[in-house]
Amino acid sequence: MTQALREILYTVSPYEGIDPADYPDDLQGWGSDHPVLVAAIEKLRPKRIVEVGSWKGRSAINMARVVRALGLACEIVCVDTWLGSPEHWLRAGPGWYESLALKGGYPQLYYTFMSNVIRHGFQDIVTPMPMTSESAAVVLAHLKISFDLAYIDAAHEYAPAKRDFVAYWDLLTDNGTMIGDDYIIWPGVTQAANEFALERRLNIVGEPGKFVVSKAGGAMPSIKL
Ligand SMILES: C[S@@+](CC[C@H](N)C(=O)[O-])C[C@H]1O[C@@H](n2cnc3c(N)ncnc32)[C@H](O)[C@@H]1O
């Protein structure tokens, strides 16, 4: 039985004291319902998933739904600062800045995420890890926590995207798979993903929006995009 990271990180449930009635029922996301996320969980039957970049929880909740439907004993660890990305602060899309839900100048997005998880009843599956992806990777490596599936959807700039691919690839189990968002859409992500795959001599399967790389025999995963 894989020990839940939740038991190591927290002495009381992180959901304790959060009342979803205080936060909007708003599950907006981007590419969060993509079938590759479902296909990967069905194929890998993971014991642990890490999502890097969770925003309001749409992709995490969709994955949790699949985990539950398959009856898997699987924890989904969600790493995010919940402080938003440059594009949210720069108002690059409709309602993105407002979604940060600033209070005293500080985002309350974490509570939107937590409330959404509670509202959909997935507190037993989803564990929040409110840290930078970089710091969380250090904690996870130190604790020797590994993942069967990593979904990377945080920064869109080249340097932090590449750093996430490297750090979370190293946290995958021997047959682990990594899925990345925003491939071909954000140039920094695309460059980082292509370089990463080339340097590690990995087959990368991609289409606008998602890419997949897998450790399984170093071969291309049989996941249909
Ligand atoms: C595109 S959103 C994630 C969307 C989510 N996966 C979905 O489909 O609903 C990107 C998220 O990454 C987070 N983020 C950006 N850079 C980060 C970093 N260096 N460490 C942790 N989180 C980061 C932001 O706070 C934001 O919530």
Side-chain angles (χ1 to χ4, degrees):
M1 180 76 184
T2 310
Q3 190 186 10
L5 177 69
R6 167 117 37 121
E7 292 167 13
I8 304 171
L9 283 187
Y10 297 107
T11 48
V12 293
S13 165
Y15 295 95
E16 206 173 294
I18 296 178
D19 182 353
D22 295 340
Y23 299 95
D25 184 2
D26 169 11
L27 209 51
Q28 167 266 331
W30 302 265
S32 324
D33 314 323
H34 198 286
V36 74
L37 298 173
V38 178
I41 296 170
E42 285 174 349
K43 179 181 155 66
L44 298 166
R45 302 184 72 82
K47 291 190 176 62
R48 263 204 219 105
I49 299 172
V50 62
E51 174 176 79
V52 185
S54 294
W55 188 241
K56 300 174 192 172
R58 186 173 181 126
S59 44
I61 287 170
N62 278 326
M63 289 193 282
R65 200 170 279 126
V66 182
V67 162
R68 182 164 294 159
L70 292 172
L72 304 177
C74 173
E75 181 181 27
I76 302 178
V77 175
C78 291
V79 174
D80 199 310
T81 56
W82 283 284
L83 297 177
S85 298
E87 62 270 22
H88 308 128
W89 283 88
L90 293 171
R91 301 169 164 86
W96 295 2
Y97 176 79
E98 290 71 20
S99 290
L100 295 170
L102 299 184
K103 189 173 169 189
Y106 200 80
Q108 303 298 297
L109 185 60
Y110 175 72
Y111 298 102
T112 305
F113 167 86
M114 294 294 273
S115 297
N116 282 332
V117 173
I118 295 170
R119 230 176 250 118
H120 288 82
F122 291 118
Q123 305 95 300
D124 56 328
I125 297 176
V126 174
T127 297
M129 200 171 176
M131 303 181 77
T132 64
S133 57
E134 197 173 18
S135 296
V138 172
V139 172
L140 293 165
H142 182 84
L143 294 173
K144 297 189 173 21
I145 301 286
S146 57
F147 298 92
D148 307 295
L149 177 63
Y151 178 45
I152 312 295
D153 186 16
H156 295 134
E157 294 72 34
Y158 165 77
K162 180 103 183 265
R163 194 185 60 217
D164 286 346
F165 298 148
V166 170
Y168 287 86
W169 179 259
D170 289 344
L171 290 170
L172 287 179
T173 54
D174 289 347
N175 288 315
T177 289
M178 187 162 80
I179 299 175
D181 194 44
D182 299 303
Y183 189 60
I184 303 174
I185 294 173
W186 281 79
V189 172
T190 312
Q191 185 191 345
N194 287 341
E195 267 184 32
F196 168 75
L198 196 66
E199 284 164 12
R200 304 270 174 144
R201 303 175 68 83
L202 302 168
N203 288 317
I204 182 163
V205 190
E207 64 167 26
K210 295 280 185 284
F211 76 86
V212 182
V213 282
S214 175
K215 286 192 181 179
M220 200 181 297
S222 57
I223 291 170
K224 303 268 183 303
L225 278 166

